Amino acid sequence: MQMQVEGVESVSNILKKYSDGIERKLHRGLVMGARIVQSEARAECPVSTEETRPGGPHGELRMSIHGQVDGITAMVGTNKEYAAYVEFGTYKMAAQPYLIPALIGRQPDVIAAIVKEFKR
């Protein structure tokens, strides 16, 4: 028995075209979502003052918060080693969360940004 299917290449090309479009739209939505969370995290991030940290520096943690999108994965965070201590606290210092509340609080806006890209 022999079977021949015609048009498989064109169907495959159409599916690839749509999947590429979906991935591009998702990527753009994630970029917008990461910017939203980054902005909120910076606004929520505690900043030391002269009173709490004489001589400074002040605002380093806030300014180090950045977003990054790789394919269909978004990350918002910081490269400061002490960031987790601020977020979760220590036995000597109370937690001052800023990243997790930013993500949770702006989750509807992140979803809306992604949906908006798919409606384009």
Side-chain angles (χ1 to χ4, degrees):
M1 181 169 158
Q2 188 176 26
M3 183 175 5
Q4 185 176 353
V5 179
E6 293 182 21
V8 171
E9 268 189 36
S10 64
V11 170
S12 176
N13 289 339
I14 290 169
L15 290 174
K16 181 170 178 13
K17 174 185 162 189
Y18 282 111
S19 72
D20 287 348
I22 289 169
E23 195 169 313
R24 255 190 328 274
K25 289 178 180 193
L26 179 57
H27 180 83
R28 283 195 310 253
L30 287 172
V31 167
M32 294 307 299
R35 287 181 185 158
I36 290 167
V37 174
Q38 173 186 327
S39 176
E40 184 70 16
R42 282 185 175 180
E44 295 284 328
C45 184
V47 176
S48 63
T49 63
E50 267 311 300
E51 186 178 305
T52 61
R53 187 174 183 189
H58 309 291
E60 280 188 342
L61 180 59
R62 175 177 282 172
M63 294 314 300
S64 72
I65 298 170
H66 63 278
Q68 178 179 328
V69 178
D70 183 16
I72 59 170
T73 302
M75 187 278 304
V76 175
T78 173
N79 61 353
K80 296 296 181 187
E81 292 180 18
Y82 61 90
Y85 302 133
V86 177
E87 180 80 16
F88 301 110
T90 68
Y91 72 95
K92 292 183 177 183
M93 179 181 89
Q96 300 175 73
Y98 58 98
L99 282 171
I100 294 171
L103 177 59
I104 292 170
R106 298 303 297 268
Q107 185 177 358
D109 299 321
V110 171
I111 292 168
I114 295 168
V115 168
K116 182 180 178 181
E117 286 300 322
F118 277 93
K119 289 184 176 180
R120 289 179 141 194

